Amino acid sequence: MDLLPNLALGLQVAFSPINLMYCLMGVTLGTAIGVLPGVGPIITISLLLPLTFGLPPEASIILLAGIYYGAAYGGSTTSILVNLPGEAASAVTCIDGHQMTRQGRAGSALAIAALGSFFAGTVGTLLIALAGPPLASIAMRFGAAEYAALVFCALITTASMTRGGAVKGIGVTLLGVIFGLAGADVSTGIFRFDFGILELRDGIDFAVLAVGLFAVAEIIGNIAQGEENVVSQQKLGRLWPTRDDFRRAWPAVLRGTGIGAVLGVLPGAGLAMSSFSAYMLEKSIAREPERFGKGAVEGVAAPESANNAASQTAFIPTLLLSVPGSPVMALMLGAFMIHGISPGPRMMTEHAPLFWGLVASMWVGNLMLVVLNLPLIGLWVRLLRVPYHWLFVFVLAFACVGVFSTGASVFDIYALVFFGLLGYLLKAAGCSPALFILGFILGPMFEEHFRRAMTLSRGDPMIFLQRPISLTFVLIGLAVLLATMSSFIRKGRAEATD
Amino acid sequence: MNNAETLAAVIFLVFGAITVVLGIGYGTGSAGALGPGALPVVAGGGLILLGFLQLARALRAAPSAPRAFARAELRPLLVILAAVAAFGLLIAPFGLIPALTVLVLIAWFAHGSGKPVELAVIVIVTLALNLAIFHWGLGIPFRLFAWSL
């Protein structure tokens, strides 16, 4: 068992003063932006992505990991204090978390969320370290056909499980795939979708796409909604939870962690489903289910732990197979690729310090969130009270300067206008821009593996069905597709007969 | 026709059609050697198919579907996009500080409330924070004023 030496190597990397500083910086910035109302992790990560340019690879992914956890934590803080979830995953936390705030127990709710998340994060990190080596050795045997089938399966499952319905979900994912294909074709060198514009020959800049689609489009939507400050003026109350809180919370944390750890690995299931399932489980096994929705500690502890465990184990497919299971992971993978880091089974052996350093930094990041953010809660609350019509101007300026800082290209700024408009249109049409990002990242991967597999089999598509692993992925993908489509047709009939 | 369902269908159909036309031009190749246009044609074709499915759904749901565009969104949409475009226009000839100032001045009117004093404070705070983070913090060599070169 070489778990311990590996973790030791990782901790050595993570605890080097400079990396520790980057982790701290990431966690703080991530929380600071993530805490803003209506700003979810995806927007936070896209906004802060330009900051990581120009750093060495290790430092940049440690900074990114810090931002990732900070953003998630900031989101929970907002849910608990303001009842405005930045993302679906923290919507459940609002139910009981905000009730606790109204009862003057915001401090305890935040502390329970932080401690539960830390526990879940620790378990999740250990799982990555444990599952890593065996999974990597399986993944090493993956050929082009297996990869193509896996990406297909991940795309279909995630796109089908969206709120707006499978047709829109798959459609917007395909749109992302098409945008991802822009630029020079790997095998022929032909420039695709460049419209004669020189800047488009390298493909679409991922950071520009993310900032435009999320930050710019989101600002437009938020101003229109007239989102103004709704921060309650309630007292935070005591920070340290009572003995009774602890007694109720710890079993919920354990169960939430278990659910989250399992669901996080599955593509498409993701954070939202894990926190919802954890909440529903607590409610169904509680002795007094009527306490839920009225500030039950378990209602905060379980979803927050599940959320964090899932956001940890979601790294398993991303890092070991380089196939992200969720839009946020696609964003992280895109960020890694910008820095020339291509995750995959080889990363663990060929870039051991990088891989284990990242795993250890995840844990350090979680730890920092607890020790740093509990005392800083007062500061985050004050940040929440900044009026939105001040905030959005700053966020917009920050987005533009950030994008310009990555390449000093005026074209990128105009591209920002384009993607801002596209993001606005997609949202107006009820299509999830997050799925667009998933397609954008996974599309080129799918094309590469698919073409290679077809070349290897001399044009025989049966290659995807003859290999057991690839067959399994294809069947899962088709089953999900069939299930969603049949429910679509059934619903359609029901609507027609109404 | 102003509803979210129809808009989604239109987006899918338009982008699908463009992609298929361009994809055929790139060459689809053969099954054993797929060309650069193969996946675009398949993806674009899929998008057109989904666009028609979505259109059918939109027509069925037409009266009850939510409106795609709210009147309240028009002003922020145009103002915010104009602010970003102005930043792009000004950054090369005039430098970061003038471009950023104009961006803030335009973006301010997306919201349509607030006093002039607030605006002045926002301009200064935005300039100071962005310079602190990018120029001094990350050491990115921006031209602060173009005529300073």
Side-chain angles (χ1 to χ4, degrees), chain A residues 212-443:
Chain A
L213 221 45
F214 296 110
V216 175
E218 197 70 29
I219 288 174
I220 295 167
N222 282 349
I223 300 173
Q225 279 171 21
E227 190 168 294
E228 263 309 333
N229 264 14
V230 264
V231 178
S232 46
Q233 302 294 324
Q234 273 103 342
K235 292 255 157 41
L236 274 176
R238 54 180 272 171
L239 206 54
W240 202 245
T242 60
R243 185 175 296 225
D244 183 53
D245 286 340
F246 273 121
R247 191 179 54 77
R248 289 179 189 279
W250 75 262
V253 167
L254 285 182
R255 285 186 289 262
T257 305
I259 291 178
V262 174
L263 289 181
V265 188
L266 305 178
L271 306 184
M273 198 191 272
S274 60
S275 50
F276 268 99
S277 322
Y279 187 83
M280 293 322 284
L281 177 72
E282 287 309 312
K283 201 172 168 178
S284 64
I285 62 168
R287 232 173 285 157
E288 312 142 89
E290 64 278 0
R291 282 177 47 247
F292 282 79
K294 291 176 192 152
V297 171
E298 302 94 309
V300 176
E304 280 300 302
S305 315
N307 193 350
N308 214 43
S311 60
Q312 200 70 262
T313 53
F315 271 108
I316 292 178
T318 312
L319 286 179
L320 297 176
L321 304 169
S322 84
V323 174
S326 70
V328 183
M329 277 296 124
L331 197 63
M332 291 297 284
L333 185 65
F336 288 168
M337 293 195 300
I338 289 176
H339 293 288
I341 301 160
S342 49
R346 279 169 220 289
M347 184 182 177
M348 200 178 295
T349 45
E350 284 167 19
H351 302 281
L354 192 66
F355 179 83
W356 294 105
L358 174 65
V359 172
S361 299
M362 293 171 174
W363 184 73
V364 175
N366 276 301
L367 181 67
M368 276 185 184
L369 279 177
V370 178
V371 292
L372 191 86
N373 277 331
L374 287 183
L376 283 182
I377 281 173
L379 179 71
W380 306 138
V381 174
R382 222 164 306 152
L383 209 54
L384 272 172
R385 295 203 177 120
V386 175
Y388 193 75
H389 68 277
W390 294 11
L391 213 57
F392 85 83
V393 178
F394 174 73
V395 171
L396 190 71
F398 185 80
C400 289
V401 180
V403 162
F404 192 73
S405 78
T406 62
S409 154
V410 173
F411 177 79
D412 285 349
I413 303 296
Y414 298 136
L416 204 54
V417 176
F418 174 81
F419 286 116
L421 182 64
L422 183 67
Y424 170 79
L425 286 176
L426 288 180
K427 271 182 55 168
C431 295
S432 151
L435 287 176
F436 186 96
I437 286 282
L438 192 76
F440 183 84
I441 294 289
L442 285 177

Side-chain angles (χ1 to χ4, degrees), chain A residues 92-163:
Chain A
V92 197
T93 309
C94 281
I95 306 173
D96 279 282
H98 192 62
Q99 282 304 320
M100 285 183 74
T101 300
R102 294 192 155 188
Q103 296 161 8
R105 292 199 293 148
S108 301
L110 289 165
I112 286 283
L115 293 171
S117 296
F118 173 64
F119 175 79
T122 309
V123 173
T125 312
L126 274 175
L127 280 177
I128 297 180
L130 278 173
L135 260 177
S137 63
I138 297 175
M140 286 290 227
R141 274 180 270 153
F142 275 30
E146 280 83 5
Y147 267 115
L150 173 61
V151 174
F152 168 77
C153 177
L155 273 174
I156 292 288
T157 2
T158 316
S160 309
M161 291 189 184
T162 168
R163 257 182 308 169

